[in-house]
Amino acid sequence: MWTADEIAHLCYEHYRINLPKQGKPEPNREWTLLAAVVKIQPIADQTWDSPDKPVRVTKEVVSMGTGTKCIGRSKMRKSGDILNDSHAEVIARRSFQRYLLHQLHLVAALKQDSIFVPGTQRGLWKLRPDLLFVFFSSHTPCGDASIIPMLECEDQPCCPVRTDWANNPSMEASGNLKPTEDKRKCEGPDSPVTKKMRHEPGTPATEVANGGAHRQSFGNQESGPIPPSVSSSNLTSGELAAVTGMAPGGAKVVDVHRTGAKCVPGEAGDSGMPGVAYHQVGLLRVKPGRGDRTCSMSCSDKVARWNILGCQGALLMHFLEEPIYLSAVVIGKCPYSQEAMQRALIRRCQNVSALPNGFGVQEVKIQQSDLLFEQSRCAVRAKRADSAGRLVPCGAAISWSAVPEQPLDVTANGFPQGATKKGIRSLQARSRISKVELFRSFQKLLSSISEDKWPDSLRVRKLETYQDYKEAASTYQEAWSALRKQAFGPWIRNPPDYHQFK
């Protein structure tokens, strides 16, 4: 039907051809990250003369996002007109929501080319049964999916672990191993590792390229050096360490790739000890800020949430009989562990139960491509070799949606690129995928439908604010409540006053 390399190639070509120069990295000086949603649809009128014959499909990019940053808590706004999180995965998902809104406009206007068909209940639609969506990211999501085994043949984020620890990793995991003088030297300001990390400005010494590897600074994320054979691992870091510290293939596991994402308050927290036990796995994490902490959950956590609640969000659930789930997640060439991806996106939520009809933990298909994104940090660094000057993350984020009107949106610091402080309150200074603009599109859709055809969830009471409409999506809120109670209790939620705009 499709392969991981076909999905990656399609997304890279779409990025190269359909996205403008504005918002892309400056050659040989900047890098960025890429994510997209691809629609898969079987070709009509196929002959089924053999059961082994592969199904021929069309593949179409319907949303795309680039970006590496998120804003700090102090910059958040109650008007809903700023993008709090501009990591590529989040931009691609919000762009996908814009695409879904457009498709709902089409079906509400009785157009024949929508991806939706009427549901069984009044005012509700559902996805056509022959369609599916694949999520692509050029890198592993930041957070839990990025905590993957590091082999002794790779660059180390801290001093190599001691011989006695490698032979008995349970010493450190149990907390019996105190920080050694070697560790303090290694993590000190004048250590070789710290100096190496300072080559990239603003990158804290402890926030090293991680396994999914996002090098993070002020919310930045990106892959570190591509390790050999890491993707062959099917065990957790702890399990690998327990098996004499050896990875499949014989290479010794001496550490883990680090994630800059910090454990949320209420979680157990990382040990910070050298070696495999540096991180606790399976925890909720928040994206780091540069002095000003963010309220943005890690991409691993967000994708795991989408895998239960769907990608459509609460607002669009008013019009849908079932959530819109991803059928597969494809990752580009980068540090990668299949086991870590399964753990982060599926296994830590696999026991969530008592969900409303239509909701459930999805066994999303997870694959990796061998194709490297040409404007990833790793690729750009390889091209520039010994070029003068620093390699920095691109400050802009690009949103693209398969919609007829103004499909592109280029932002920086959460606002359209070029917006001035004086003009920030104007309509022109809003991203088309900001909360307030997506809410405006939702209201426009609602006003295009006669009230007698509205779904029951919109008839219960008079709704005015963004928060009102979100809370009225009762089945979605019930599913979200179950997920929080059973798996994601410490999830950081914005206070209700940040959702009171109209």
Side-chain angles (χ1 to χ4, degrees):
M1 185 180 261
W2 55 267
T3 67
D5 282 354
E6 287 173 348
I7 297 295
H9 177 74
L10 177 70
C11 294
Y12 296 158
E13 282 296 290
H14 187 92
Y15 172 85
R16 184 177 62 83
I17 296 170
N18 295 88
L19 268 60
K21 184 177 180 181
Q22 180 189 8
K24 287 183 177 178
E26 183 180 323
N28 295 319
R29 197 184 80 84
E30 295 181 329
W31 51 267
T32 195
L33 300 168
L34 178 70
V37 176
V38 178
K39 181 181 74 173
I40 308 291
Q41 183 174 4
I43 295 174
D45 302 323
Q46 296 187 57
T47 56
W48 306 101
D49 49 5
S50 170
D52 298 326
K53 187 176 181 180
V55 178
R56 291 182 296 124
V57 298
T58 59
K59 299 180 288 292
E60 177 191 0
V61 175
V62 294
S63 78
M64 181 165 280
T66 72
T68 64
K69 302 196 174 189
C70 50
I71 64 169
R73 182 182 301 162
S74 66
K75 292 185 173 65
M76 293 172 60
R77 291 164 60 90
K78 296 180 180 180
S79 49
D81 57 358
I82 189 170
L83 296 178
N84 297 332
D85 189 341
S86 292
H87 282 207
E89 297 97 324
V90 177
I91 296 291
R93 185 255 185 164
R94 297 186 75 82
S95 303
F96 182 52
Q97 290 176 318
R98 191 175 174 217
Y99 165 77
L100 294 176
L101 270 164
H102 170 65
Q103 292 294 320
L104 285 169
H105 271 284
L106 291 179
V107 74
L110 304 179
K111 298 289 179 67
Q112 298 299 312
D113 53 353
S114 173
I115 64 172
F116 294 110
V117 294
T120 58
Q121 301 176 52
R122 179 179 57 186
L124 299 184
W125 290 283
K126 59 183 179 181
L127 189 67
R128 285 171 47 179
D130 60 333
L131 299 181
L132 57 87
F133 294 103
V134 174
F135 190 81
F136 173 78
S137 178
S138 63
H139 56 94
T140 312
C142 63
D144 195 54
S146 298
I147 304 172
I148 67 173
M150 178 178 283
L151 309 183
E152 63 180 348
C153 53
E154 301 176 54
D155 291 337
Q156 302 299 303
C158 61
C159 293
V161 294
R162 301 185 332 211
T163 303
D164 58 345
W165 179 87
N167 292 332
N168 187 11
S170 61
M171 290 173 58
E172 183 173 308
S174 64
N176 295 328
L177 181 62
K178 295 181 179 179
T180 62
E181 185 64 26
D182 287 342
K183 178 179 184 290
R184 286 193 290 271
K185 286 180 181 178
C186 188
E187 295 180 351
D190 297 320
S191 73
V193 172
T194 304
K195 289 180 179 178
K196 178 180 177 182
M197 292 305 301
R198 284 180 178 172
H199 185 68
E200 303 293 341
T203 305
T206 56
E207 293 176 4
V208 185
N210 58 39
H214 299 167
R215 212 177 258 271
Q216 305 210 18
S217 167
F218 189 44
N220 295 345
Q221 53 175 358
E222 170 57 332
S223 302
I226 295 176
S229 303
V230 171
S231 60
S232 65
S233 172
N234 286 313
L235 300 172
T236 64
S237 303
E239 288 167 339
L240 284 162
V243 188
T244 68
M246 303 296 285
K252 183 180 290 185
V253 176
V254 293
D255 213 322
V256 290
H257 284 278
R258 308 291 166 79
T259 177
K262 309 300 183 185
C263 296
V264 302
E267 289 282 36
D270 293 321
S271 72
M273 303 295 282
V276 172
Y278 183 91
H279 281 307
Q280 292 274 0
V281 298
L283 303 184
L284 291 174
R285 295 176 180 271
V286 66
K287 290 166 183 169
R290 191 172 175 178
D292 184 13
R293 188 160 186 169
T294 79
C295 291
S296 299
M297 300 299 294
S298 76
C299 289
S300 291
D301 300 332
K302 289 187 175 184
V303 178
R305 176 183 170 180
W306 305 341
N307 198 43
I308 294 178
L309 303 184
C311 290
Q312 76 293 321
L315 284 185
L316 294 190
M317 203 62 221
H318 282 294
F319 291 110
L320 297 175
E321 202 161 76
E322 300 171 345
I324 305 296
Y325 288 117
L326 301 169
S327 294
V329 173
V330 174
I331 303 297
K333 189 173 183 180
C334 65
Y336 178 88
S337 163
Q338 184 72 16
E339 189 283 331
M341 288 287 292
Q342 293 279 352
R343 177 192 69 225
L345 305 191
I346 303 172
R347 284 214 310 272
R348 57 184 175 154
C349 299
Q350 67 183 5
N351 294 324
V352 173
S353 60
L355 293 166
N357 287 339
F359 290 87
V361 182
Q362 305 300 299
E363 284 294 329
V364 62
K365 186 178 179 181
I366 302 172
Q367 295 186 359
Q368 186 184 28
S369 167
D370 285 329
L371 303 182
L372 180 68
F373 179 42
E374 65 181 3
Q375 292 194 312
S376 66
R377 185 176 187 277
C378 184
V380 174
R381 183 164 57 182
K383 288 179 186 175
R384 70 196 303 264
D386 297 324
S387 301
R390 291 169 175 166
L391 180 60
V392 297
C394 180
I398 305 175
S399 159
W400 181 91
S401 300
V403 297
E405 296 182 10
Q406 299 177 308
L408 280 162
D409 196 55
V410 181
T411 56
N413 299 315
F415 289 109
Q417 196 172 47
T420 62
K421 287 186 177 180
K422 187 175 181 180
I424 271 178
R425 293 187 180 276
S426 69
L427 292 177
Q428 290 72 30
R430 293 176 176 178
S431 165
R432 296 181 188 96
I433 58 169
S434 63
K435 287 187 179 78
V436 69
E437 282 299 296
L438 288 177
F439 184 39
R440 189 178 68 86
S441 295
F442 171 84
Q443 290 174 313
K444 186 178 177 182
L445 169 63
L446 188 59
S447 65
S448 71
I449 302 170
S450 60
E451 195 166 334
D452 63 309
K453 294 182 180 178
W454 285 7
D456 292 342
S457 62
L458 294 173
R459 297 165 172 270
V460 291
R461 59 186 173 89
K462 185 174 176 58
L463 306 173
E464 294 183 353
T465 67
Y466 179 73
Q467 180 74 8
D468 289 342
Y469 279 94
K470 283 171 66 74
E471 288 181 347
S474 56
T475 57
Y476 182 92
Q477 296 300 342
E478 183 183 341
W480 180 209
S481 178
L483 175 57
R484 291 197 310 274
K485 287 178 181 177
Q486 299 176 52
F488 283 173
W491 189 283
I492 295 177
R493 305 175 70 192
N494 294 334
D497 58 338
Y498 279 86
H499 292 157
Q500 294 303 320
F501 52 88
K502 299 180 179 180

